Amino acid sequence: MAANTLITLTNAQLAYGHHPLLDHADFAIQPSERIGLIGRNGAGKSSLLKVLNGSIAPDDGDIMRLGGLTVSTVEQEPALDETLTVFDALCGDITATEDWQRPARVNALVEQLGLDAQAAVAGLSGGSRKRVALARAVADEPDLLLLDEPTNHLDFDGIAWLENLLLAARCSVVLITHDRRFLDVVTTRIVELDRGRLFSFPGNFSQWQERKAQTLDAEQQQNARFDKLLAQEEVWIRKGIEARRTRNEGRVRRLEQLRRERAERRERQGNVRLAVAEGQRSGKLVAELQHVTHGYGARTLIRDLSTLIMRGDRIGVIGPNGAGKTTLLRIILGQLQPNEGHVRLGTNLTVGYFDQMRSQLDEAATLADTINPGSEWVEIGNQRKHVMSYLEDFLFPPARAHSPVSSLSGGERARLVLARMFARPTNVLVLDEPTNDLDIETLELLEELLQDYTGTVLLVSHDRAFLNNVVTQTLAAEADGRWGEYVGGYDEWQAQRPTDSPEPTARAASAANRKSAGNSKPADAAKPAKTGRTSRITSWELRELEGIPDAIAALEKHQAELAARLADGSLYRDAPQEVESINAEVAETEKQLQALFDRWQQLEEKQQASSL
């Protein structure tokens, strides 16, 4: 283990079912790293965190920890002592640890997060519970902080606080999240768990996306070459007697090895196939609110709101936790009568509702009955699908169709709610925090579906990238129960919102983080000015032009080799000092490629000018 490496996994194996979650995986965590751990739902990300914090042991392989290493973990659904106050839950037993400075740290965190130190843990909302769990972990001052979906249940202000805290943290961090903007802001390395193996990519999420596309393309080409060779050998073996000659025994053994390798290959899991059963068109008007005011007791959540929602609108409803977003949705849908004002609903409204708490699911029901009780068929547009096939579209194999809902993970529950909602004809989709628990690939597919949906969408979300990619206008909670209307998504709201609206910290931090994230992207190389037709192309320039494609191919091959080295988890374990030099070589290679492309364009233009 390299000096100061916090944790090293070598050849780690872990399995709970047919496919291993860790399959001879290598992984190392260096000081001050902020690692984003990504992968499909069910890939084993949370299990890997448990291996790292020592709560479970790998089935095989080695794990080494730096002497005296301290680790704090924030689970996806944190467990808190319901009998304590917030302050006591954060302080713990100080006499046992003799950490006499902890109360001061706790008081500072309570103030930063806007928590009530004397509030009972038992009465906290999901967002407040997540803040308490995060504050408790930070107060531990660990060497390594492990976070499982830390942005779930947090509002924009809480997300901004966490971003700033992690950017300033002296500890190393490994975090699991679906929030692409969050990954872009805080991470220094992306590690993907894919089919039991860990692949490392220096940089943030946007940089990972670029390199991942190249990696998948290379994998597909390699598999295609392998499959072609295997098919040729299978044809040869069927010729019979030639294959049994002594001099060809080596070839027979090679074929047997090819068959074993093909059987052991784990294909990349397919994507969810999303399609929505769109119902009869609603009337042009969906809902009209006139001077609506509503609240509970002395607190007014909505004050004198007038707005018009038309067919085809995609509206984001945003604001701090407790601002009244779900209350506003219920008023818009006619499920709740406001204290004052009037609501007029349109005609032919058929609503599909995605509940963030998944309360619409019957724990005892099977998956098949949840989708379409009493029928084996689902109608999606003009297509009729058997419920088993429909469940497969959402990555539920037929063997799971008769399993109870209670057996599902958080991500599987989210997919099941989507499957049930999309199986019913709708012309209004109401999505209350749909991004929690969904993996990034499914989020991107859901974005595409909502962009193409011809009905009306009402979306509550704290996922900034999702809001930007889906909504066309925004209803935002502001001071004193006021709600503002804005054109565009999250970024447009940030640019237009008044300075006295809630979450000023989030606004300032978000602007700074957007600038920081933008600065992390490589600047566009300066384009040389196009040459005029001042001279004809020379013979040596023609030779240079002919050689440029081969030079580019050689550089791209070298670029792929460097990317493969960076994706190898053992590099960060055995030679972390080489990562910086390889990254510098990657940057230099990209610079050389850009120069070659520019020169190619310049010479081609000169050649074309010479031919005129």
Side-chain angles (χ1 to χ4, degrees), residues 192-259:
E192 182 185 19
L193 179 53
D194 182 14
R195 290 161 286 180
R197 307 298 296 272
L198 291 164
F199 302 92
S200 292
F201 300 83
N204 62 20
F205 179 76
S206 293
Q207 294 163 333
W208 167 82
Q209 280 187 308
E210 296 172 5
R211 291 183 179 176
K212 180 62 177 179
Q214 299 169 358
T215 302
L216 285 177
D217 183 59
E219 180 183 335
Q220 290 171 355
Q221 293 181 25
Q222 180 180 353
N223 286 344
R225 289 193 293 268
F226 179 96
D227 292 342
K228 182 177 180 180
L229 175 61
L230 177 58
Q232 291 171 343
E233 296 300 285
E234 291 287 4
V235 170
W236 169 79
I237 198 69
R238 292 190 184 95
K239 291 181 180 179
I241 190 168
E242 181 184 355
R244 291 193 293 271
R245 292 177 182 170
T246 302
R247 66 175 181 270
N248 284 322
E249 284 182 359
R251 190 170 179 181
V252 173
R253 287 194 296 271
R254 183 178 69 166
L255 173 60
E256 292 172 348
Q257 177 63 25
L258 288 173
R259 286 171 172 171

Side-chain angles (χ1 to χ4, degrees), residues 354-497:
F354 185 100
D355 173 15
Q356 65 167 316
M357 302 308 294
R358 324 288 195 253
S359 59
Q360 58 197 275
L361 294 177
D362 180 353
E363 296 289 313
T366 66
L367 274 61
D369 285 340
T370 298
I371 296 298
N372 207 11
S375 175
E376 296 183 354
W377 299 94
V378 177
E379 304 283 347
I380 304 292
N382 297 323
Q383 188 178 10
R384 192 167 185 254
K385 278 194 171 186
H386 194 275
V387 68
M388 297 290 192
S389 175
Y390 183 70
L391 281 168
E392 284 190 278
D393 288 347
F394 288 82
L395 306 183
F396 294 110
R400 299 285 305 278
H402 297 293
S403 300
V405 169
S406 59
S407 68
L408 301 182
S409 67
E412 288 172 331
R413 286 167 182 262
R415 292 206 308 270
L416 185 63
V417 173
L418 288 175
R420 172 177 170 159
M421 183 174 68
F422 292 160
R424 290 158 170 74
T426 63
N427 51 39
V428 178
L429 290 179
V430 181
L431 306 172
D432 194 351
E433 295 290 0
T435 64
N436 289 353
D437 304 318
L438 291 179
D439 58 45
I440 291 171
E441 289 90 342
T442 304
L443 280 183
E444 291 174 342
L445 290 169
L446 180 57
E447 285 175 353
E448 292 177 13
L449 181 143
L450 294 176
Q451 288 164 0
D452 295 335
Y453 182 61
T454 60
T456 305
V457 177
L458 300 174
L459 169 65
V460 175
S461 180
H462 290 113
D463 188 316
R464 295 157 292 181
F466 194 78
L467 284 165
N468 281 339
N469 293 336
V470 171
V471 306
T472 56
Q473 59 199 93
T474 299
L475 269 173
E478 296 176 348
D480 194 30
R482 303 286 181 182
W483 290 75
E485 295 185 75
Y486 303 88
V487 174
Y490 174 84
D491 286 342
E492 288 78 9
W493 167 64
Q494 284 284 309
Q496 302 171 59
R497 62 186 291 191

Side-chain angles (χ1 to χ4, degrees), residues 8-13 25 58 60-64:
T8 302
L9 282 180
T10 306
N11 208 27
Q13 300 179 63
D60 201 359
D62 297 320
I63 180 166
M64 298 180 65

Side-chain angles (χ1 to χ4, degrees), residues 32-195:
S32 302
E33 278 199 297
R34 297 189 300 274
I35 299 171
L37 179 59
I38 65 174
R40 301 299 295 269
N41 287 141
K45 302 185 295 296
S46 296
S47 295
L48 176 57
L49 288 195
K50 292 177 181 177
V51 170
L52 295 176
N53 69 17
S55 58
I56 62 174
D59 299 330
D60 201 359
D62 297 320
I63 180 166
M64 298 180 65
R65 293 181 172 85
L66 189 68
L69 180 72
T70 58
V71 181
S72 290
T73 304
V74 178
E75 303 284 354
Q76 189 168 347
E77 297 297 335
L80 302 174
D81 189 334
E82 303 288 322
T83 66
L84 299 179
T85 65
V86 167
F87 184 84
D88 290 339
L90 292 176
C91 277
D93 186 358
I94 299 173
T95 57
T97 61
E98 296 187 355
D99 182 3
W100 308 115
Q101 299 303 315
R102 189 178 181 102
R105 297 198 302 274
V106 165
N107 282 325
L109 288 166
V110 165
E111 184 176 352
Q112 291 172 20
L113 286 168
L115 295 169
D116 180 355
Q118 299 309 313
V121 168
L124 297 180
S125 65
S128 295
R129 293 177 70 88
K130 180 59 71 75
R131 289 176 184 236
V132 170
L134 288 167
R136 182 176 62 181
V138 170
D140 290 342
E141 294 189 325
D143 302 314
L144 175 61
L145 184 59
L146 305 177
L147 306 175
D148 194 349
E149 296 288 1
T151 63
N152 278 8
H153 307 300
L154 290 184
D155 53 25
F156 297 132
D157 198 35
I159 293 171
W161 168 80
L162 183 58
E163 286 175 347
N164 291 331
L165 181 140
L166 295 182
L167 289 172
R170 289 178 292 180
C171 64
S172 294
V173 181
V174 179
L175 62 96
I176 299 169
T177 184
H178 61 267
D179 190 323
R180 293 156 289 178
R181 177 74 70 89
F182 189 76
L183 286 168
D184 264 351
V185 169
V186 305
T187 56
T188 58
R189 175 157 63 113
I190 297 293
V191 173
E192 182 185 19
L193 179 53
D194 182 14
R195 290 161 286 180

Side-chain angles (χ1 to χ4, degrees), residues 553-571:
L555 278 176
E556 287 180 335
K557 181 181 178 182
H558 182 56
Q559 189 180 47
E561 291 169 350
L562 293 174
R565 290 179 66 189
L566 288 171
D568 184 357
S570 63
L571 174 68

